[in-house]
Amino acid sequence: MDKIIEVTGLKKAYGSVQAVRGLDFYVERGKLFAFLGPNGAGKSTTIDILCTILKPDGGEVLVDGHRLGHEDAGIRSAIGVVFQDHLLDPLLSVEENIRTRAGLYHMAGKQLNDAVKHAAAAADVTEFMRRPYGKLSGGQKRRADIARALINTPQVLFLDEPTTGLDPQTRKSVWESIRTLQQTTGLTVFLTTHYMEEAAEADYVIVIDHGDIAARGTPTELKASYASDQLRLAASNDHALRALLEDRGLAYTCAAGSVVVKISDTMDALEILALVKGHIKGFEVLSGTMDDAFIGITGREIRE
Amino acid sequence: MKALFIRNLKVYFRDKASVFFSLLAVLIIFMLYLLFLGDMWISNLPDLPGVRAMMDSWIIAGLLAVTSITTVMGAFGTMVDDRAHKIIKDFDAAPISKGKIVAGYELSSFVIGVIMSLLMLVIGELYIVSRGGAWLTPTALLTVLGLILLSALCNTALVSFVVSFFRSQNAFSTASSLLGTLVGFMTGIYMPVGMMPSAVQLIIKVFPVSHAALLLRQTMMAAPMAQVYAGAPAAMQQAFEQEMGVVFHLGGQPMSVATSLAILMGTAVVFYGLSILNFSRKRR
């Protein structure tokens, strides 16, 4: 397995607040890796450290073979970063922005022109290259940010909450661009998010909470181990239904007018349905979602 | 660094409001001169031919000194904004050293100071000539150009040191308006040096920007003064020079051109060094 990022024992505190308390993880080359966690969990701190902007208090970090703290310039050349805030110059056009940032990577002349063209095409910003960055919509700004991050054809693309604050449709299209980019170019993508449906699309997910890793795995693994499937029953005879379930020792909860029974496998629903079919007028079988997994992991819903 | 330098220039000149505000102090001084300060001083002088042109040269020389520092200060606003808006993170994550990032801000501020001073020189000369004065002689022009460079250099070092302490935009804009308000006094424009109490005179005489003003006045006023005081006793001209800050006296002795040049260059070197120290101290 080719590990492009390796982190061991990463620690960072701000005063007495422990932002990150000893993280160990690695990222496989070419994969889409998601860091899922509520605000204040330590996601941005971790990204800032990996991008060489913030010095960790302890731990080892290897990015594309470069050791953090010793070969920072090597790391910087190998990465592209999309920060949570929009950090391009509002009064300059998208093209001017990308060109000036390209200059930071020791590019000039034809190489620079080609890099700008390539990055613009990859992030799909060619249409509004000449418009001032400050006048763009949220989604367009985000695309411009991504184009800027791709200017040095990085090995790893870091994105800190790339879709936060965008409307659902734009969020989806930005997300799809990132996914396409990773799949077509083999770029490693490391992103943080607090949207479950995005984490569910990643190749590998680490759930981070209070600066610690709470769970890790592929979305399927996480769902399998932390989310349970559900059988929702719409009762025709509520009283009889409950009595029957209690009789059989099946735990249930009541939600939104229906009775919910947790089941370990969707197939188990058949048995229960056979038992209660005289007392229900309808049913639903739901497989576990990332939301359920998250609640299963942290014991609460995600803080927005 | 070249990329950052060009980017800083664009960011400064694109923001019309910030260009305007960095020239605000200059505009206010000029308006006051046009409205009444000019007439007031001229009425205090003997009614000799060429007095008007001499005073016009005096005010333009002072304005050039002021333009240099206020526009350099305005240009450094980009640096403070970048820190406040975290744009600096975007540079920090790129393979360019912090020293080069700072050097990019300094170089662009210096160049902005020079460009704006040149623009001011052109406008000033047009103004002087339009009111009946003469163009600068080629030698005087070259000297003025040299002084513009030196003054921008000195001001870049000074402002860079001051800005190295600021993290917030509020602190910076307060300092900018303070500078804009005080600089007219500190260079002896609102009120000629000779009219100030001696303690204030001393402050003016150690303020590097007033030495830029002094040297610019000496250069730009040489020809008009020669004309005005052609038939007058030397003591009369000397009194005028001392009163209006064309020559500074310290301990009864006139300060030489070399002293003023040394003060400007010394300031540039010392404050540049101090600002480098301060910028590196801030690094985690």
Side-chain angles (χ1 to χ4, degrees):
Chain A
M1 185 173 29
D2 189 4
K3 298 173 183 172
I4 193 159
I5 301 176
E6 269 191 273
V7 176
T8 37
L10 188 67
K11 279 189 195 134
K12 177 75 190 175
Y14 300 106
S16 61
V17 183
Q18 288 278 336
V20 173
R21 350 171 157 228
L23 297 185
D24 298 292
F25 64 90
Y26 63 86
V27 177
E28 263 183 83
R29 191 180 288 275
K31 293 290 167 70
L32 198 160
F33 181 97
F35 233 47
L36 176 69
N39 293 333
K43 302 188 303 280
S44 294
T45 304
T46 310
I47 279 221
D48 283 356
I49 292 173
L50 297 187
C51 299
T52 76
I53 292 173
L54 205 58
K55 276 214 176 94
D57 297 339
E60 288 279 312
V61 176
L62 270 174
V63 178
D64 197 29
H66 305 286
R67 255 181 82 198
L68 183 79
H70 300 270
E71 297 153 300
D72 284 2
I75 295 182
R76 290 173 187 162
S77 302
I79 61 169
V81 196
V82 175
F83 292 98
Q84 201 169 342
D85 306 292
H86 298 291
L87 298 184
L88 296 182
D89 296 311
L91 293 173
L92 305 192
S93 73
V94 175
E95 183 167 8
E96 285 172 317
N97 266 304
I98 301 178
R99 293 191 79 88
T100 45
R101 301 302 198 265
L104 303 177
Y105 295 86
H106 316 294
M107 281 189 255
K110 188 174 181 305
Q111 190 201 3
L112 190 147
N113 289 336
D114 290 348
V116 171
K117 244 182 247 165
H118 189 257
D124 199 11
V125 299
T126 347
E127 267 172 60
F128 46 88
M129 276 300 259
R130 293 190 190 286
R131 288 185 49 203
Y133 178 72
K135 294 239 163 87
L136 302 178
S137 70
Q140 290 173 323
K141 273 190 190 160
R142 200 39 106 201
R143 283 178 187 285
D145 296 342
I146 295 174
R148 179 261 173 266
L150 293 175
I151 193 67
N152 54 330
T153 47
Q155 298 295 309
V156 194
L157 179 64
F158 289 97
L159 301 109
D160 194 4
E161 310 231 348
T163 56
T164 300
L166 300 177
D167 63 77
Q169 229 174 337
T170 319
R171 217 167 87 192
K172 200 159 171 257
S173 90
V174 167
W175 176 262
E176 273 165 11
S177 312
I178 297 170
R179 201 44 162 148
T180 314
L181 204 64
Q182 177 251 337
Q183 279 165 350
T184 53
T185 62
L187 179 70
T188 310
V189 174
F190 182 114
L191 56 84
T192 68
T193 180
H194 59 236
Y195 292 117
M196 298 300 163
E197 62 269 37
E198 289 180 2
E201 298 278 315
D203 294 319
Y204 198 83
V205 180
I206 281 187
V207 181
I208 178 170
D209 197 19
H210 299 303
D212 254 327
I213 293 176
R216 63 177 89 209
T218 63
T220 323
E221 284 166 6
L222 286 179
K223 276 187 274 192
S225 31
Y226 295 99
S228 52
D229 297 340
Q230 293 180 349
L231 173 64
R232 280 174 176 264
L233 302 166
S236 53
N237 184 340
D238 198 43
H239 194 71
L241 175 66
R242 287 167 188 237
L244 195 57
L245 288 173
E246 272 162 31
D247 203 34
R248 283 298 172 113
L250 289 166
Y252 67 87
T253 51
C254 296
S258 53
V259 174
V260 181
V261 185
K262 282 196 173 171
I263 47 181
S264 52
D265 192 295
T266 44
M267 291 304 284
D268 293 353
L270 288 175
E271 200 184 315
I272 300 173
L273 286 171
L275 183 75
V276 302
K277 71 178 170 197
H279 307 303
I280 57 171
K281 52 187 183 200
F283 69 90
E284 255 183 306
V285 182
L286 304 167
S287 29
T289 62
M290 277 301 284
D291 282 277
D292 301 326
F294 189 82
I295 296 167
I297 292 162
T298 63
R300 61 201 152 81
E301 286 190 45
I302 198 147
R303 301 189 295 265
E304 281 282 344
Chain B
M1 196 179 88
K2 191 181 142 218
L4 276 181
F5 164 68
I6 293 170
R7 175 257 173 191
N8 294 340
L9 285 191
K10 280 186 178 170
V11 168
Y12 175 79
F13 285 111
R14 244 0 116 70
D15 188 357
K16 302 288 182 288
S18 85
V19 175
F20 174 77
F21 281 111
S22 64
L23 285 172
L24 193 60
V26 176
L27 290 173
I28 290 174
I29 295 173
F30 196 45
M31 290 312 286
L32 291 180
Y33 176 79
L34 286 182
L35 289 174
F36 66 95
L37 285 181
D39 295 334
M40 205 168 77
W41 291 323
I42 287 167
S43 67
N44 286 338
L45 290 170
D47 191 16
L48 294 165
V51 164
R52 161 73 57 186
M54 181 176 75
M55 284 315 293
D56 283 347
S57 301
W58 181 85
I59 190 73
I60 297 301
L63 287 179
L64 272 177
V66 173
T67 305
S68 179
I69 187 148
T70 58
T71 54
V72 165
M73 183 100 183
F76 265 106
T78 309
M79 181 183 202
V80 177
D81 282 355
D82 287 352
R83 282 197 201 149
H85 297 143
K86 297 185 195 155
I87 289 180
I88 197 80
K89 275 171 94 173
D90 197 28
F91 303 147
D92 285 347
I96 175 170
S97 72
K98 298 210 177 191
K100 280 190 179 171
I101 297 175
V102 174
Y105 289 119
E106 281 171 350
L107 186 62
S108 52
S109 300
F110 168 75
V111 170
I112 286 168
V114 172
I115 293 176
M116 298 306 279
S117 300
L118 290 177
L119 195 70
M120 187 64 218
L121 177 64
V122 172
I123 296 171
E125 280 295 282
L126 287 173
Y127 167 75
I128 292 171
V129 173
S130 74
R131 299 243 292 192
W135 296 103
L136 281 174
T137 62
T139 331
L141 183 63
L142 278 181
T143 314
V144 169
L145 293 180
L147 287 173
I148 283 177
L149 290 178
L150 181 60
S151 150
L153 193 70
C154 168
N155 291 329
T156 305
L158 262 182
V159 176
S160 165
F161 174 68
V162 173
V163 166
S164 64
F165 289 99
F166 295 153
R167 293 265 138 184
S168 83
Q169 284 169 302
N170 262 337
F172 178 76
S173 57
T174 308
S176 298
S177 24
L178 201 66
L179 174 83
T181 317
L182 288 181
V183 75
F185 289 106
M186 299 284 285
T187 46
I189 297 180
Y190 285 140
M191 208 190 269
V193 185
M195 293 185 190
M196 303 273 200
S198 58
V200 182
Q201 284 198 21
L202 188 69
I203 296 175
I204 293 176
K205 285 170 191 172
V206 297
F207 186 46
V209 182
S210 20
H211 285 274
L214 178 95
L215 294 175
L216 283 162
R217 284 176 192 143
Q218 288 174 3
T219 313
M220 297 181 74
M221 292 168 73
M225 269 198 307
Q227 192 196 347
V228 170
Y229 293 103
M236 198 173 156
Q237 182 176 348
Q238 277 163 13
F240 168 80
E241 285 177 346
Q242 201 173 339
E243 176 77 8
M244 300 304 284
V246 185
V247 173
F248 286 163
H249 283 248
L250 206 62
Q253 290 296 312
M255 289 166 94
S256 67
V257 173
T259 313
S260 294
L261 285 176
I263 287 177
L264 288 173
M265 287 183 215
T267 309
V269 172
V270 169
F271 281 88
Y272 188 66
L274 285 176
S275 67
I276 288 177
L277 272 183
N278 205 29
F279 279 123
S280 42
R281 189 176 59 84
K282 285 274 164 64
R283 241 140 270 163
R284 286 176 295 270

